[in-house]
Amino acid sequence: MNFTNHSVLQNFGNKMLKKKLGFAIFFLLTVLTSVAQTKIKGSIKDIHGVPIAGVSIIEKNVSQNHVLSDFDGNFQMTLQKPNSKLVVSYVGFVSQEVTVSNNTVDVVLLESVEQLSDVVVVGYGTQKKSRVTSAIASIKEKDFTRGAIRDASDLIKGKVAGLTISTGSGDPSAAPNISLRGVSSLKGSTTPLVLINGVPGGIDTVSPNEIASIDVLKDASAAAIYGTRGANGVILITTKNVNKEMQPTMTYSTFTTVSNFAKKADFLDANGLRSLMSQGVKVPFTDEGATTDWLDEISRSGFAQNHNLDLKGGTAKTNYTVNLNYVNQTGVFNGTFNKEYRFSFDVNHRMFNDRLKINLNLLNGTQKMGISPDTAGYAYRQAMIRNPTAPVYNDDGTYAETNRFQYYNPVAILNETKQDRQSTWQRFTANLTLDLLPGWDVSALLAKNKNSGLDGYAETKKHYSNTINGRNGVASRTTGQTDRDYVELTSKYNKKIDKHEFTLLGGYSYQYTVNEGFSAYNFDFPTDAFSYNNLGAGNALSDGKASMGSYKNDDKLIGFFGRANYNFDNKYDVLFSIRREGSSKFGENHKWGNFPAVSAGWSINKESFLSEATAINNLKLRAGYGVTGVIPGESYLSQTLYNYDGYFFNDGKWVKGLVPASNPNPDLRWEKTAEVNIGVDFGFLNNRISGSFDVYSKKTSDMLWDYSVPTPPYLYSSITANVGKMENKGFELLLNIVPVKTENFMWNSSMTFSHNKNKLTSLSNDLYSIDRNFINTGDTGDPISFTTHRLEVGQSIGNYWGLKSVDITDDGKWIIETSDGTRKTLTPDLYNDANKQYLGNGIPNYNAGWTNTFTYKKFDLSVVMTGAFDYQILNSQRMFYENPTINYNMLNSAFDKVYDKAVLNYNQTYVSYYLEQGDYVKVDNVTLTYNFDVKPYKFLSAMRVYASANNLAVITKYKGLDPEIPRDNVLSQGVDNRDKYPTTRGFTLGLNVTF
């Protein structure tokens, strides 16, 4: 009985165990099936079958599962869930949700004709491109110039109509000259305001690799919201920001550049000099037996290396971007170099259900530079004029020098000069945005910016300045620092009701700046070992010939601003903005100013009467008016200032005297520019042809100038006052064309063309005036020393003023033509204004840029060309050295017949013969890129190599080294300085890898 019961229980237990085991197996299979991962692959193309790289593919509802298409448009990923959908998105295309039905997914993306996802950065925010009513140019990262890029300006050179960017110097530390829509000020800043993520900064302080977009506010209706700083336009630089969930990625990019002189001046060499001697031609030298290439003695091949590392990653709540950049560039002149170290850290964090967004950004940079362009330029001058048969060193190893006036050994100049120029910058920015209600958010931006600089300079005992003056070395040290606190509070509200959409913006900004610095100078040191690091050791302290000085000043700028945007039915847009701004630089009677703006846009292509015109994708008419300003450059110009100067005897002691240094001006205020802009944006044939056309008129009033005044009743002999008026008128054209677009080949072409005409309309009023309504400006320099330009009411800025040469006598004397048509042989008594006339203008009337990009399979070829037209250049090198009468070396062309008639036999002088047509077309950059197939390498997501050449070729009739010249002096535009650091031509190899 017991046995039977045990068997029954055992059978029952076995059955239950089998059931449990089966259930467990079933449950395990179910779980495994539910979490099974599916590997898929696919391709992304446009409607023409052209692969699209960089497309975002995300598994829906699994945001961490995210990949990008490679350069062939292909991708691979592993799905985390069954029956998943893919969200496929890319800028400029309509996003799609794709259901995965098998292991291969092929997606065709449709272009978003209206480009609604294309966002333009505007003052204090962003705006959809289709809603823009002002003249704004937006350049995205994909359109940046590649290759050996020095700073942000190189990325967009030639790509923004009306924005002229010129360097014209081979100095590795040279800053670009940037201007927009002509010259609007004589004493104030003429460069655009540069904002980096909304904070004022230098265009060279941020690594080009870190930049996501550059937007240029060109007209006053866009820039008026920046008030007294917006008259020259605004450049908005936006750095890369993750602000979303993404897997950690690392991008490393590097390039190496070798550069040499693009062109060398054709001076007499040793063989040429000896040939002239053998022919009996009178030359200023004797044959000293050597054969010296002086330019070669002070120069070398330039070399540059650039390394950049980007780190990105994070979750949807917290993400980060880190950028490390290192630049090391040696110039073609010995002792010139530029080293830069940049670090930036950007972190985003969301909290309180994403209603509060926090962005923290830290930027730190250091720049170290060698011998300055002025010192290198002077050594270059000496190398050009030196006897090519003279040796570099004497037999005893000392530098070969002579007692000839202003004639020094250029090798000694560079070898015996030590100069360290350093600058550092730190900027910390905190940006908090709180979403109070749907459509309404408030933001607070806090920034601290600190820039400091050091210039240490020393000349050893062997330097020519010490050997001729009997001194034992010279040294100086100069330091400077700028601290700027920046606070900005904004509130923005957006509401859409049916066909009406409103956006309101209000804000407050505060900027406080402190500048301070120190300098000291001494000479006669016991040793050269101190350099500039022990100034107290110099003996000049004992005899009172050493010097020192320091300074400190501050200024405050406060603004209240508001803007309203209205859109109706996606067809009609209106913008109104106003800024009320006050500055401590202004006089008591004008502490505050108002800067209004209004603009409107009409999207004509969205009207019903064009609904059938399928070839028209975009046709928008824009019109705007605004008032901007230029703030005085210095603090305390409106106040009475005194200097301590001289001594007087009082109560048995010598007391330092106090003398006036400036007059009070309670009416000192900003320069005001009112501008009207009318433009049209267009796009045809699926945007295969697109662009914009703008015409503008800018009128500047209350322009600052220094006027002579009588003493008494004034305390000082001059006063800075707002009197002048000026106007600029012009047009700008941007044209983008896609001539060819096939499966394997695409050609994109972008052209810019601009024209600006400047006119000075007034420099006098009832209180202050200039003599005879003109001022002669500019200086040719010793030993000629003539003014080169005339600033006259009713004329343009940049006009050359001088003697018009038309012929030469049989014995080599200039023949000039006076303003009444009379011809005279030039004599010293004719050097007066009665015989001078306008000879041309140094500012290009037209500027152009042309960028072509060709893509074939894995190859990309980019060609960037720039040009300037209808202007003249004063070739100073020819004016000084194309003359056989001088006591120095000269150009080979000095013995050519002038006007095919006679060899010149007249002292160096400034005449129109040396003014040349400056028109040019330059091949600025050519870059060939190969994009690797990285599919076999799971740790790589992209890799490309490229070869690039910059300043490759110039088409011009100009005889000088380069028709693209520095334009840092408003009042003497177009002078090609004889000591200018010559431009270079560089060849680059680069690599970009994303892990």
Side-chain angles (χ1 to χ4, degrees):
M1 184 70 180
N2 292 334
F3 177 78
T4 303
N5 291 337
H6 177 73
S7 298
V8 171
L9 289 173
Q10 189 174 24
N11 289 335
F12 179 79
N14 291 337
K15 290 181 180 180
M16 290 299 296
L17 180 61
K18 290 179 179 179
K19 286 183 178 181
K20 288 181 179 180
L21 184 60
F23 180 80
I25 294 173
F26 175 79
F27 177 80
L28 182 60
L29 290 174
T30 302
V31 171
L32 290 175
T33 303
S34 65
V35 299
Q37 296 180 331
T38 304
K39 292 184 178 181
I40 65 169
K41 61 181 181 178
S43 66
I44 313 292
K45 298 180 179 180
D46 65 11
I47 58 174
H48 303 284
V50 178
I52 308 174
V55 177
S56 172
I57 304 103
I58 302 175
E59 183 178 1
K60 190 174 181 180
N61 298 323
V62 189
S63 58
Q64 70 271 17
N65 194 14
H66 169 265
V67 297
L68 298 175
S69 61
D70 61 21
F71 288 105
D72 294 319
N74 298 321
F75 71 93
Q76 293 182 355
M77 67 186 305
T78 301
L79 301 183
Q80 304 297 324
K81 295 182 179 181
N83 302 319
S84 286
K85 288 185 177 182
L86 303 180
V87 179
V88 184
S89 61
Y90 189 67
V91 174
F93 290 82
V94 178
S95 298
Q96 292 187 28
E97 284 193 10
V98 180
T99 301
V100 180
S101 56
N102 52 52
N103 293 337
T104 301
V105 180
D106 295 316
V107 181
V108 177
L109 287 182
L110 301 176
E111 292 186 33
S112 176
V113 175
E114 296 183 358
Q115 295 286 311
L116 293 179
S117 60
D118 195 358
V119 174
V120 175
V121 179
V122 297
Y124 301 103
T126 59
Q127 197 172 16
K128 291 181 179 178
K129 186 176 181 179
S130 61
R131 300 286 174 83
V132 172
T133 56
S134 305
I136 301 177
S138 183
I139 311 297
K140 306 299 184 184
E141 182 185 10
K142 63 184 180 64
D143 297 316
F144 289 162
T145 299
R146 297 175 182 172
I149 303 300
R150 291 195 295 186
D151 57 42
S153 66
D154 283 344
L155 298 174
I156 59 173
K157 186 177 181 181
K159 299 177 184 292
V160 178
L163 185 71
T164 59
I165 300 171
S166 60
T167 302
S169 170
D171 177 34
S173 63
N177 302 125
I178 306 174
S179 65
L180 180 66
R181 294 188 169 184
V183 176
S184 298
S185 179
L186 298 179
K187 284 184 66 66
S189 173
T190 59
T191 59
L193 170 67
V194 177
L195 299 175
I196 302 170
N197 296 329
V199 180
I203 200 163
D204 59 345
T205 57
V206 60
S207 168
N209 299 277
E210 194 183 356
I211 298 174
S213 68
I214 299 177
D215 298 81
V216 182
L217 312 185
K218 299 198 292 182
D219 73 337
S221 67
I225 201 165
Y226 291 106
T228 57
R229 299 169 295 164
N232 302 305
V234 183
I235 297 177
L236 303 173
I237 297 176
T238 304
T239 58
K240 297 174 183 177
N241 190 312
V242 176
N243 204 23
K244 63 181 180 180
E245 181 172 355
M246 69 174 297
Q247 293 181 346
T249 63
M250 181 175 68
T251 300
Y252 170 70
S253 59
T254 183
F255 66 77
T256 299
T257 302
V258 177
S259 58
N260 285 287
F261 293 112
K263 183 180 179 181
K264 296 181 180 180
D266 187 20
F267 276 76
L268 285 169
D269 59 12
N271 292 332
L273 189 66
R274 291 180 176 123
S275 176
L276 290 175
M277 291 176 178
S278 66
Q279 299 171 40
V281 178
K282 183 181 178 181
V283 293
F285 301 118
T286 59
D287 190 347
E288 298 186 36
T291 298
T292 305
D293 185 334
W294 287 101
L295 181 59
D296 188 60
E297 291 291 335
I298 64 169
S299 63
R300 62 199 174 189
S301 291
F303 180 80
Q305 56 177 316
N306 186 304
H307 302 274
N308 194 85
L309 185 66
D310 274 313
L311 303 172
K312 301 177 183 177
T315 66
K317 292 288 185 182
T318 305
N319 42 71
Y320 63 90
T321 302
V322 179
N323 181 269
L324 301 169
N325 182 239
Y326 169 70
V327 178
N328 188 351
Q329 183 178 6
T330 57
V332 290
F333 284 130
N334 297 338
T336 61
F337 65 86
N338 178 45
K339 292 183 180 180
E340 296 183 45
Y341 311 84
R342 299 188 185 104
F343 166 79
S344 68
F345 176 70
D346 188 278
V347 61
N348 295 285
H349 180 67
R350 297 171 182 262
M351 54 196 306
F352 304 137
N353 294 324
D354 293 346
R355 296 184 65 180
L356 178 63
K357 305 178 187 70
I358 301 174
N359 171 263
L360 301 178
N361 181 273
L362 175 64
L363 173 67
N364 186 82
T366 300
Q367 183 179 29
K368 296 182 178 180
M369 299 162 285
I371 290 175
S372 71
D374 289 340
T375 302
Y378 193 68
Y380 170 64
R381 178 200 293 189
Q382 296 299 322
M384 294 296 96
I385 68 175
R386 199 158 183 85
N387 183 355
T389 70
V392 178
Y393 301 98
N394 297 315
D395 292 339
D396 61 359
T398 59
Y399 293 105
E401 296 281 11
T402 70
N403 59 359
R404 187 174 299 196
F405 182 65
Q406 292 186 350
Y407 182 80
Y408 312 112
N409 191 318
V411 178
I413 292 175
L414 295 185
N415 286 356
E416 305 306 322
T417 299
K418 178 176 176 56
Q419 189 168 15
D420 293 315
R421 296 175 294 145
Q422 300 180 26
S423 62
T424 60
W425 57 92
Q426 298 93 28
R427 185 175 68 243
F428 174 75
T429 306
N431 201 330
L432 291 82
T433 302
L434 177 63
D435 295 332
L436 292 177
L437 295 171
W440 183 20
D441 61 62
V442 294
S443 297
L445 186 150
L446 309 174
K448 178 74 174 180
N449 199 344
K450 182 178 181 179
N451 298 285
S452 59
L454 164 68
D455 187 347
Y457 181 86
E459 297 171 355
T460 71
K461 300 175 185 179
K462 298 179 181 180
H463 192 277
Y464 77 85
S465 67
N466 296 313
T467 57
I468 63 177
N469 291 313
R471 297 180 307 197
N472 291 325
V474 169
S476 65
R477 187 182 184 101
T478 302
T479 62
Q481 181 174 294
T482 298
D483 283 306
R484 180 174 289 119
D485 297 324
Y486 193 77
V487 178
E488 185 179 283
L489 306 174
T490 58
S491 181
K492 181 180 177 182
Y493 180 73
N494 177 266
K495 182 68 174 178
K496 188 171 184 180
I497 305 173
D498 195 19
K499 295 182 179 181
H500 307 273
E501 185 173 359
F502 304 87
T503 302
L504 302 176
L505 171 74
Y508 163 84
S509 97
Y510 169 91
Q511 180 177 300
Y512 179 65
T513 305
V514 178
N515 301 292
E516 57 185 322
F518 173 84
S519 62
Y521 164 83
N522 204 351
F523 58 88
D524 270 344
F525 291 91
T527 174
D528 288 331
F530 291 144
S531 185
Y532 56 84
N533 295 309
N534 190 359
L535 296 183
N539 290 328
L541 277 174
S542 59
D543 56 18
K545 293 182 180 180
S547 64
M548 64 179 177
S550 62
Y551 68 90
K552 185 174 183 178
N553 59 71
D554 67 347
D555 66 87
K556 189 180 297 182
L557 187 69
I558 296 175
F560 300 88
F561 54 89
R563 182 174 60 214
N565 297 76
Y566 169 70
N567 172 268
F568 174 72
D569 200 21
N570 289 325
K571 299 178 185 178
Y572 314 104
D573 292 277
V574 178
L575 175 148
F576 173 77
S577 72
I578 188 167
R579 185 181 184 101
R580 180 164 175 78
E581 192 164 58
S583 171
S584 61
K585 293 183 178 181
F586 302 155
E588 284 296 327
N589 298 336
H590 295 275
K591 284 295 185 185
W592 293 87
N594 299 320
F595 302 90
V598 61
S599 60
W602 177 25
S603 298
I604 306 174
N605 60 296
K606 296 181 180 179
E607 296 290 353
S608 58
F609 56 80
L610 287 180
S611 59
E612 301 298 325
T614 57
I616 302 176
N617 308 118
N618 181 32
L619 186 61
K620 183 169 186 173
L621 181 65
R622 296 178 281 100
Y625 168 82
V627 178
T628 52
V630 173
I631 200 167
E634 299 177 29
S635 301
Y636 320 133
L637 287 176
S638 67
Q639 302 176 28
T640 303
L641 300 179
Y642 294 89
N643 284 339
Y644 286 99
D645 188 29
Y647 290 86
F648 66 93
F649 193 75
N650 181 54
D651 195 21
K653 297 180 180 179
W654 287 102
V655 181
K656 208 162 192 178
L658 198 63
V659 297
S662 71
N663 289 303
N665 183 1
D667 293 319
L668 187 74
R669 56 195 179 276
W670 57 96
E671 299 181 350
K672 183 171 63 177
T673 298
E675 181 177 10
V676 175
N677 187 97
I678 300 175
V680 60
D681 301 323
F682 55 85
F684 308 114
L685 305 176
N686 289 326
N687 285 320
R688 294 283 291 270
I689 301 174
S690 63
S692 63
F693 180 78
D694 287 88
V695 294
Y696 62 87
S697 175
K698 297 171 59 177
K699 293 187 177 181
T700 301
S701 59
D702 296 332
M703 197 163 54
L704 292 167
W705 191 250
D706 292 331
Y707 293 89
S708 297
V709 291
T711 56
Y714 289 91
L715 298 173
Y716 190 66
S717 59
S718 70
I719 189 170
T720 303
N722 301 86
V723 177
K725 296 180 180 179
M726 189 189 300
E727 65 181 26
N728 287 272
K729 297 180 179 180
F731 66 82
E732 299 163 348
L733 172 66
L734 167 66
L735 184 62
N736 298 311
I737 304 175
V738 185
V740 180
K741 189 174 184 180
T742 66
E743 181 176 356
N744 293 320
F745 179 75
M746 180 183 292
W747 172 19
N748 284 286
S749 184
S750 177
M751 289 162 277
T752 62
F753 189 79
S754 62
H755 161 69
N756 183 81
K757 183 65 176 177
N758 172 279
K759 183 179 180 181
L760 179 67
T761 55
S762 177
L763 262 183
S764 301
N765 64 11
D766 295 338
L767 289 176
Y768 310 105
S769 62
I770 59 172
D771 186 26
R772 294 177 294 173
N773 263 348
F774 69 80
I775 301 169
N776 291 336
T777 65
D779 188 3
T780 56
D782 291 334
I784 300 177
S785 196
F786 288 114
T787 57
T788 57
H789 292 68
R790 171 168 282 188
L791 183 67
E792 183 174 4
V793 174
Q795 299 290 332
S796 298
I797 303 295
N799 277 341
Y800 294 107
W801 176 257
L803 297 173
K804 181 181 179 181
S805 55
V806 293
D807 205 347
I808 196 169
T809 63
D810 292 338
D811 60 348
K813 303 297 189 286
W814 291 111
I815 297 176
I816 65 166
E817 181 181 278
T818 60
S819 56
D820 61 1
T822 304
R823 292 193 170 201
K824 301 178 181 179
T825 300
L826 183 58
T827 55
D829 61 297
L830 297 179
Y831 288 96
N832 54 65
D833 280 353
N835 295 307
K836 294 179 181 180
Q837 55 185 297
Y838 286 112
L839 306 175
N841 191 281
I843 301 176
N845 217 354
Y846 305 94
N847 287 277
W850 188 18
T851 301
N852 288 280
T853 303
F854 307 90
T855 302
Y856 177 71
K857 293 185 177 179
K858 294 182 175 63
F859 289 94
D860 295 329
L861 175 65
S862 173
V863 181
V864 179
M865 303 173 69
T866 58
F869 311 95
D870 192 17
Y871 73 109
Q872 289 74 43
I873 298 176
L874 176 57
N875 191 331
S876 295
Q877 204 164 64
R878 284 185 57 222
M879 184 171 63
F880 278 92
Y881 307 127
E882 194 176 79
N883 190 317
T885 70
I886 60 178
N887 198 32
Y888 309 106
N889 198 16
M890 61 201 73
L891 291 162
N892 272 303
S893 54
F895 295 95
D896 293 345
K897 292 184 177 181
V898 179
Y899 297 117
D900 297 322
K901 191 173 183 179
V903 175
L904 183 64
N905 184 25
Y906 196 91
N907 294 335
Q908 297 163 314
T909 192
Y910 166 50
V911 291
S912 63
Y913 181 74
Y914 302 110
L915 285 173
E916 301 182 36
Q917 199 65 23
D919 300 34
Y920 72 89
V921 174
K922 176 179 285 191
V923 183
D924 253 334
N925 181 281
V926 177
T927 302
L928 177 64
T929 304
Y930 179 77
N931 301 298
F932 284 90
D933 181 5
V934 297
K935 287 184 293 185
Y937 310 101
K938 294 182 179 180
F939 60 92
L940 293 178
S941 62
M943 184 171 72
R944 70 168 184 261
V945 295
Y946 60 89
S948 177
N950 65 288
N951 197 18
L952 187 60
V954 184
I955 303 171
T956 184
K957 293 183 178 180
Y958 179 59
K959 298 177 183 178
L961 299 183
D962 194 334
E964 182 184 344
I965 59 177
R967 298 187 173 276
D968 49 1
N969 192 331
V970 173
L971 300 180
S972 57
Q973 292 278 309
V975 177
D976 192 5
N977 195 302
R978 58 177 163 156
D979 299 337
K980 179 188 72 176
Y981 196 122
T983 55
T984 60
R985 176 172 297 127
F987 297 92
T988 301
L989 287 176
L991 169 70
N992 290 66
V993 184
T994 301
F995 299 91

